[in-house]
Amino acid sequence: MLDDDNKYVVASKVNYENKFYYYLIDIKQNGNLKFCYEDGEDLVELSDKALVTKLLPLFLEATKSELNIDLENM
């Protein structure tokens, strides 16, 4: 749980430069998205928009391989 007391589901998790990052979706408000990194046992929300931009394709690729789908042929 993050500091906002909402509950989230992990949409995707990636390892980038030896750090784990998470793409989270609020289970009650699907438009409430969070990008976080693991700091010990805590998740810390990312504030670096440039880093989020770098991570987005990695999240997509991780999700695509987990679901085993070919998005280009959809």
Side-chain angles (χ1 to χ4, degrees):
M1 191 173 342
L2 297 175
D3 290 339
D4 61 8
D5 293 328
N6 294 340
K7 292 183 181 179
Y8 295 86
V9 63
V10 176
S12 188
K13 175 183 173 182
V14 296
N15 186 338
Y16 177 71
E17 295 184 350
N18 297 317
K19 189 181 273 190
F20 285 102
Y21 294 91
Y22 296 84
Y23 172 21
L24 306 176
I25 302 173
D26 187 317
I27 62 171
K28 291 186 179 179
Q29 296 177 342
N30 293 345
N32 184 15
L33 309 174
K34 301 284 183 184
F35 298 96
C36 303
Y37 64 92
E38 217 174 80
D39 184 20
E41 293 185 16
D42 297 323
L43 288 181
V44 179
E45 190 172 352
L46 281 173
S47 58
D48 183 345
K49 302 286 186 200
L51 179 56
V52 170
T53 300
K54 285 182 186 179
L55 293 172
L56 283 172
L58 300 176
F59 286 130
L60 177 62
E61 197 58 40
T63 302
K64 191 167 93 173
S65 56
E66 280 293 317
L67 296 175
N68 196 26
I69 58 174
D70 184 1
L71 296 177
E72 294 176 7
N73 291 323
M74 289 184 76

